Amino acid sequence: MSSLQISLAVAGGVVLAALVAHSAWTSRRNAPKQPQPDTRAPEVAGAPVEEERREPGFDGPLGSLPLPQPERKPGLDALIDVIAPIALEGLVSGDAALAAMPPTRRAGSKPFAIEGLNDGTGVWETPLAGQRYRAFQAGVQLANRTGYLNEIEYSEFVMKAQDFADAVNGAPEFPDMIEEVARARELDQFASEHDAHLAFTLRARNAAWSPGYLHQAAGRLGFVAGAIPGRMVLPASEPGLPPILGLAFDPQATFSDDPDQSAIREIHLSLDVPQVQRAEHPFARLREAASALATGMDGVITDDNGHLIRSESLDAIGADLELLYDTLDGRDLSAGSPQARRLFS
C-alpha cells in the first residue's frame, strides 16, 4: 500500500470517527434531559439520616409546604346562598333527616344543601346520625362559574326543599324568587368582572425534558404530584386549602412505554387567583417558580401565544392584582375565603 493510500485511509478513519462522535454528541444533546442521581447524605448503620425539620413558611424561594388534607365543607352563607328556614313542631333525629335528604345535592348547576340546628351544640351543621335537630334550613348557591341561579334552578330548589320539609313535618319559608334571581344576577356580574386566572408557559430552549427530570426540578421548589397524570401542585401552607399553584404538562408523556425518552417541550404554570389566600403571596410565588424553573431547566417564559413575558409586564400584573384583592376584600369575598372559593368554582 502506498503512502498516499495509507494517508487517505488514516484520514478516512479520522473523519468517520469524527462523524460518529458528532452523531453521538448530537443524540445526547437532543435527548430529553434526565433526573440527576440523589446526592443526599447516605444511610448510617442501616438507618436513614434525619433531615433538618423545617416549618411551613415563605422563607425560601417557595417555602416548605405540607401535603393537602381534606377540609371541612363550609356552611351556608347569606352572602352567596338563597336560604329558606324550615320550622319544626318538635325535635327531629339526624337519622330521619338523612333519610329525607334528596338523592342529589344540586339544583341545576348550583350546589344545594340542607343544614340542621343541633339541639345539643346550637351549631348549624350537615345532619348527622345520632344527633337531634330543632330547626333546618335549605340553601342553594346564587352563582358560580357556570352562571347565575335562574328561575328554573330556583324552582328545582323549592321542590327539593319542600320535599325534605314534608318528610320531617317542617314548614319552609321561601324568599321571593324574583328578588333572589336578581341578587344572583348581580353577584354573577360582580364575579365575572373580578375573576382572574393567570398562566405562564415555560418552553425548552434546546433539549426537551423527561417526566422524571421535570418532577425532580419542580419537586425542589415544593411541587408535588397532583391527583391526575400530567399535573403537579404547590400545596398551601394550611392543610386542606386549595393549592397555591398548578403545573401541567402533556399527560401522554407519563403513559409512554419508556417515560425517560418522552420529550416534554413545554409546561404550564397557573394561578387561580380567587381560590388562594392573599397572605400566601401567590403571584410572587408564580413569578419565582417560573424564573427558577426557566433558569434551572434552560427554558423561556412566554404567554399562551408564545410571546416572551418581560419583567415590567409582570410588575403591572402584580399592581392590578393588588387592586383586585382590595375589591374582593371590600365585598367580603376575600381571595381564598370559603365564600370566594365557592363562588369562583
Side-chain angles (χ1 to χ4, degrees):
M1 181 180 292
S2 67
S3 300
L4 177 60
Q5 290 175 318
I6 295 174
S7 299
L8 291 175
V10 171
V14 171
V15 171
L16 179 60
L19 289 175
V20 171
H22 180 270
S23 176
W25 178 82
T26 302
S27 177
R28 289 196 301 271
R29 180 184 179 187
N30 294 331
K33 294 184 178 181
Q34 303 299 318
Q36 299 300 312
D38 192 348
T39 58
R40 292 179 297 182
E43 296 183 355
V44 178
V49 177
E50 183 176 354
E51 296 183 2
E52 179 184 1
R53 179 177 177 83
R54 297 182 62 195
E55 295 299 324
F58 187 40
D59 51 354
L62 292 171
S64 177
L65 302 167
L67 293 175
Q69 296 179 2
E71 177 193 16
R72 181 183 179 275
K73 183 179 178 181
L76 295 172
D77 190 308
L79 181 67
I80 61 171
D81 294 304
V82 178
I83 299 178
I86 301 174
L88 300 174
E89 295 180 354
L91 296 177
V92 173
S93 71
D95 299 83
L98 289 172
M101 285 285 200
T104 62
R105 300 294 188 269
R106 302 191 80 81
S109 63
K110 307 302 182 292
F112 168 89
I114 296 285
E115 292 183 341
L117 183 59
N118 191 301
D119 186 56
T121 65
V123 174
W124 288 102
E125 64 187 17
T126 301
L128 298 171
Q131 300 297 311
R132 298 194 304 174
Y133 299 95
R134 58 177 183 260
F136 290 101
Q137 59 185 13
V140 64
Q141 196 164 309
L142 287 165
N144 56 18
R145 280 174 169 160
T146 66
Y148 64 88
L149 181 76
N150 58 41
E151 291 84 352
I152 295 175
E153 291 172 324
Y154 188 91
S155 298
E156 184 177 343
F157 157 66
V158 169
M159 288 189 293
K160 285 179 178 288
Q162 185 68 62
D163 288 345
F164 173 84
D166 291 343
V168 296
N169 295 319
E173 181 180 349
F174 296 103
D176 181 78
M177 181 181 70
I178 295 177
E179 293 179 0
E180 292 303 303
V181 170
R183 193 161 70 97
R185 187 180 290 109
E186 189 275 333
L187 182 61
D188 178 65
Q189 181 67 29
F190 172 85
S192 299
E193 293 173 352
H194 297 89
D195 201 354
H197 190 279
L198 304 178
F200 295 160
T201 297
L202 185 65
R203 290 185 165 87
R205 290 179 184 272
N206 297 300
W209 311 306
S210 69
Y213 179 84
L214 174 57
H215 275 263
Q216 184 179 70
R220 293 187 180 121
L221 302 177
F223 284 85
V224 298
I228 59 177
R231 179 169 170 80
M232 301 182 73
V233 296
L234 180 66
S237 58
E238 182 179 340
L241 294 181
I244 299 172
L245 304 176
L247 185 157
F249 59 93
D250 183 2
Q252 294 302 318
T254 63
F255 297 139
S256 170
D257 292 336
D258 186 1
D260 288 343
Q261 297 305 312
S262 296
I264 300 172
R265 299 207 62 85
E266 66 178 33
I267 61 176
H268 305 281
L269 287 165
S270 61
L271 164 61
D272 192 343
V273 176
Q275 292 286 323
V276 183
Q277 294 179 355
R278 189 179 195 175
E280 295 278 17
H281 308 287
F283 183 64
R285 294 188 177 194
L286 177 62
R287 292 185 66 169
E288 290 175 0
S291 177
L293 290 173
T295 300
M297 297 169 57
D298 189 24
V300 293
I301 306 169
T302 73
D303 59 20
D304 290 341
N305 297 319
H307 301 137
L308 292 179
I309 299 180
R310 304 189 180 279
S311 179
E312 53 269 23
S313 299
L314 296 176
D315 292 339
I317 294 173
D320 290 340
L321 281 180
E322 292 302 313
L323 296 177
L324 174 60
Y325 285 131
D326 291 341
T327 302
L328 292 175
D329 290 344
R331 187 67 183 258
D332 292 328
L333 290 168
S334 299
S337 67
Q339 296 89 343
R341 297 202 308 273
R342 289 176 56 204
L343 177 62
F344 295 96
S345 65

